[in-house]
Every structure is written in C-alpha cells, then in structure tokens.
Amino acid sequence: VVFDELNKTDETIQTENQMKESVSVGVIETIVEVQPKKKHKMRYRVKDFTYIKVLGRGQFGKVMLAQSNRSKKLCAIKMLKKKSIVDDHQIKELKQEKKMYLIATQSGNPFLTKMYCSFQTRTRIYFVMEYASGGDLMFHVQKYKLNLRVTRFFAAEILLGLKYLHDQGIVYRDLKLENVLLTKDGHIKIADYGLCKDNMGYGNCTSSFCGTADYMAPELVEVRDYDKSVDWWAFGVLIYIMVLQKMPFGGFSDDELELNNSILYDEPEFPPVMPYNLLDLISKLLTKDFHKRLGSSERDALDIMEQPFFESIDFEELLSGNIESPFNITVGDEMSADNFDEEFTSLKVDLSPVSSISETDQRMFSGFSKVCDPEF
C-alpha cells in the first residue's frame, strides 16, 4: 500500500512552516524555540492504521475501511484532498464538519456516527470514524422492500438522531439512503455531517443552496429561505422510498427541470393497500408549505413522534438501546465489507499522488488534529 508523508503531523507541519519563516528573515535563534521539549501528546498518523477496503469515493477523496494498529479496532477513514478543499473554497465547510463530528461524538446519541480522531498530512485530511459494517440503507433497499415493522423501526431511530441535531440548533440538510448506515446489529447511524449548519434554532432561517436533488424540499428548489423542516421533508422522502422502492417525485427521469417541477407541483402516489397511518405521516411530512409541514412547529420532532404511525414505539427504550432490531442483517467477517457496493470495494487500496499546496494554504489547516478516544 502506497501512502504519502506517513510521519508528518500537525506539529511537524507547523514546525516546518515556522522554521522556513525564521530562516527567511535570518532569525536563526527562533529555530530552537519552535522545538521545545513537550510532554508526550497522543496523536495519530497514516501508518498507525492498516487499510483494508475502499468503502466509497467522492469528489474530494475516499472512505476506507481500516484497522487501528494500536487497539485493533475497525474504523472508517474519510480522506480528503487538501488541494481540492482549497480550490473549491471549502475550508469553512471542513471546519464545520469537524465541529459537527465533535458534537455528535460528545452527544451520547447512539444514532449519530462518532469520530475517534482526526489528523492531517501535507496533502490530505483524515477523519477516523466508527465503522458500520451493515452498509448503507441504499444497498439494502435496492435488494428488497422493507416490511412495515422494519421501516417503522429505522424511521424511529433516524427520527431520534435528527431530533438531537435539531435540539442543538443544527439542520442536517443531507438526509438520504446513502447517509444512513447500519451496524452489524441492525441499528442505524446517521453519517456525513458535511452540509450541517448550526445556529438554526426555532424561527431561524438560511438560504444556502445545498443537498441532494431527489430529497430537496420545495423551498430549497426555489432557492428561498428555509428552516430545519427541510430535514422533515427529506425524512418523508426517505420513508416513502423504504416502503415503495421508488422516488416520490420525478419518476425515473434524470431531467433536473422535470424533477424540480414534480417536487413543486406534483403529489406523491400511494398504493391503495398502504396503511392509513403511514400514508398520513408521509403526506404530512411532504407538505409543500414548510410553515404547515409536520415538524415545523417549535415542538419539532415531538410532533412527529406523537403520530399514530409511531404509536408502538417506546422512544425512551429505543434511545437507551434496549430494543432489538427487527432487521436481520448478514454480517460475516466485518473486514470483508460485504454490505458495501462492489464498485468501491473492488478498487485498489492506495492513495494516488496529489498536488501539494502552498505554505500559506497549509496554515488554514492548523490545529485540525483531534483525539476523541485516547484508547482507540
């Protein structure tokens, strides 16, 4: 496996930058000062992990299944190219994503993906996270339709994850099947906080255009101000797909204009055999006027939890981890990543060389490294 700059950490990068600055101005004495003796500080580097499989790939990098060489625990490592982040002016978003991971990690909420640590080299950023060996919901929904009991169970766990974020004034903005992972025990983990926005308490709005087209609420499509209820629209879309294995809007068309028009003007179709309490829930979540949408009041998730569809769910017990999942998931050897798309798991496990960034740009990543679990 070929990896770049295995031994360079935040401290190494910062020291290199300071030494270069010192030499350039002729102040040799400061070179001694930038390397004081320090107490041992826990930190992670690329070589602290054994890389096993590619789990996913995106615009800025890859997600890999890895194993800690210290604890032997499995993890998922999200690797992002610094140059891509700088070129796309995503520094602010990167720092926000790290902040969201820290909030999720400290939350104690079992339905949010936690971070073990983060670190960097001169060319990449690394998020080391929990590994959910059950794969994502998209992988399973594409294979078979979920029954009503499983749909209710997954929806309830997702609801509790979103409730925690909303209670902290955070709108998630990217709920979709691909971002809902499953543990080996069949419980969900909401993943990927890249589009989260905080300071979104009740009554607060924003207008940033982002998200995944099929899950976008009408107010997002029209690029209007919106609040946290965009998450409840996406929640309705997700439940619809879990039950019917198709999108509620746009059919199978890849035409963006057709999809947007469908979101704005069409009503989703329901089979006549669908239970009324499920149909009623989805219809209320997919209300086009977000002021009238279920979950848009100050009570937020509580209004949804009280719907008849969730009458059989004990949310307190669910949050405490006392309810066994009704979904029988097949997880053999967790290292085999059998519940992930072969399009990714068949890829070569390496990191291709990437262009470096300037010393000025390096400073923007200062202080990125963080250890959340010193026993990992």
Side-chain angles (χ1 to χ4, degrees):
V1 179
V2 180
F3 290 99
D4 62 317
E5 306 193 76
L6 300 183
N7 299 308
K8 292 191 177 182
T9 61
D10 275 348
E11 290 81 0
T12 308
I13 294 170
Q14 186 176 13
T15 299
E16 286 179 351
N17 291 342
Q18 289 174 320
M19 290 178 67
K20 288 178 181 179
E21 290 172 0
S22 298
V23 172
S24 66
V25 295
V27 186
I28 305 301
E29 292 80 8
T30 60
I31 297 178
V32 179
E33 295 177 9
V34 298
Q35 296 184 358
K37 290 183 179 180
K38 296 181 180 179
K39 293 182 180 180
H40 175 71
K41 183 179 179 181
M42 174 69 73
R43 64 189 183 189
Y44 287 90
R45 295 170 292 183
V46 173
K47 70 176 185 179
D48 291 325
F49 301 90
T50 299
Y51 300 85
I52 303 166
K53 293 272 188 180
V54 178
L55 301 178
R57 183 172 61 180
Q59 179 184 358
F60 295 148
K62 297 176 181 177
V63 177
M64 287 193 190
L65 168 60
Q67 184 177 44
S68 168
N69 293 334
R70 301 179 185 181
S71 68
K72 303 305 178 183
K73 290 182 180 179
L74 295 178
C75 58
I77 303 184
K78 184 176 182 178
M79 309 168 180
L80 305 174
K81 301 172 186 175
K82 283 185 174 180
K83 189 173 190 314
S84 296
I85 294 169
V86 171
D87 290 348
D88 280 45
H89 309 288
Q90 294 292 306
I91 294 291
K92 181 180 178 181
E93 287 74 12
L94 176 72
K95 292 180 178 179
Q96 179 73 359
E97 183 172 8
K98 179 192 171 185
K99 178 180 177 180
M100 294 301 108
Y101 269 116
L102 293 177
I103 290 173
T105 301
Q106 296 163 5
S107 71
N109 187 289
F111 309 122
L112 300 176
T113 300
K114 311 298 190 295
M115 181 176 77
Y116 294 123
C117 66
S118 59
F119 62 94
Q120 64 173 300
T121 64
R122 292 190 63 81
T123 57
R124 285 182 171 90
I125 286 292
Y126 299 80
F127 287 109
V128 183
M129 309 164 291
E130 292 179 295
Y131 169 51
S133 57
D136 61 43
L137 269 185
M138 175 62 84
F139 180 84
H140 296 283
V141 170
Q142 285 179 333
K143 291 171 64 177
Y144 37 73
K145 187 185 298 185
L146 304 180
N147 64 43
L148 197 61
R149 184 182 175 208
V150 171
T151 298
R152 181 183 289 109
F153 182 83
F154 285 163
E157 292 194 333
I158 294 167
L159 177 53
L160 288 175
L162 290 176
K163 180 182 184 299
Y164 181 84
L165 294 177
H166 285 199
D167 287 347
Q168 312 310 307
I170 298 167
V171 57
Y172 181 61
R173 298 196 295 189
D174 202 20
L175 184 64
K176 56 184 177 181
L177 291 173
E178 297 91 329
N179 282 347
V180 179
L181 307 179
L182 292 175
T183 68
K184 63 180 180 180
D185 299 319
H187 294 277
I188 74 98
K189 291 278 186 181
I190 295 175
D192 198 339
Y193 307 118
L195 296 185
C196 285
K197 180 176 175 57
D198 54 0
N199 298 316
M200 287 291 292
Y202 178 71
N204 289 354
C205 290
T206 187
S207 58
S208 304
F209 183 77
C210 62
T212 301
D214 291 307
Y215 296 81
M216 282 188 179
E219 58 271 26
L220 264 168
V221 170
E222 294 186 317
V223 198
R224 294 188 281 116
D225 286 354
Y226 58 88
D227 61 13
K228 290 183 294 186
S229 66
V230 295
D231 285 344
W232 300 132
W233 172 279
F235 185 51
V237 172
L238 188 143
I239 295 174
Y240 185 99
I241 301 170
M242 281 198 290
V243 175
L244 299 177
Q245 292 182 299
K246 65 177 184 178
M247 295 293 179
F249 304 102
F252 297 98
S253 173
D254 292 327
D255 185 86
E256 183 178 347
L257 180 59
E258 186 175 334
L259 171 62
N260 290 345
N261 284 334
S262 181
I263 291 172
L264 293 175
Y265 305 113
D266 293 345
E267 295 297 332
E269 296 180 354
F270 297 99
V273 295
M274 179 176 282
Y276 176 75
N277 59 11
L278 175 57
L279 186 154
D280 183 58
L281 173 68
I282 296 175
S283 297
K284 289 176 178 176
L285 291 170
L286 297 182
T287 298
K288 298 187 188 300
D289 183 348
F290 74 90
H291 297 100
K292 299 178 181 178
R293 187 175 303 148
L294 180 63
S296 64
S297 78
E298 192 168 2
R299 298 184 75 244
D300 196 65
L302 294 176
D303 283 340
I304 304 173
M305 293 164 66
E306 293 172 357
Q307 293 299 300
F309 180 70
F310 292 114
E311 187 176 5
S312 62
I313 296 290
D314 186 329
F315 282 100
E316 187 173 335
E317 286 292 293
L318 189 61
L319 191 60
S320 299
N322 296 328
I323 300 180
E324 186 177 341
S325 173
F327 187 66
N328 296 319
I329 191 167
T330 302
V331 177
D333 180 3
E334 288 192 286
M335 289 189 182
S336 66
D338 290 334
N339 291 302
F340 290 82
D341 197 324
E342 192 175 353
E343 174 190 351
F344 302 119
T345 58
S346 61
L347 295 174
K348 188 177 179 181
V349 181
D350 66 7
L351 290 179
S352 55
V354 294
S355 302
S356 60
I357 59 175
S358 69
E359 297 304 324
T360 299
D361 289 337
Q362 287 287 2
R363 295 189 192 100
M364 293 191 289
F365 297 93
S366 176
F368 176 81
S369 295
K370 176 73 176 180
V371 175
C372 298
D373 184 355
E375 297 183 0
F376 181 75

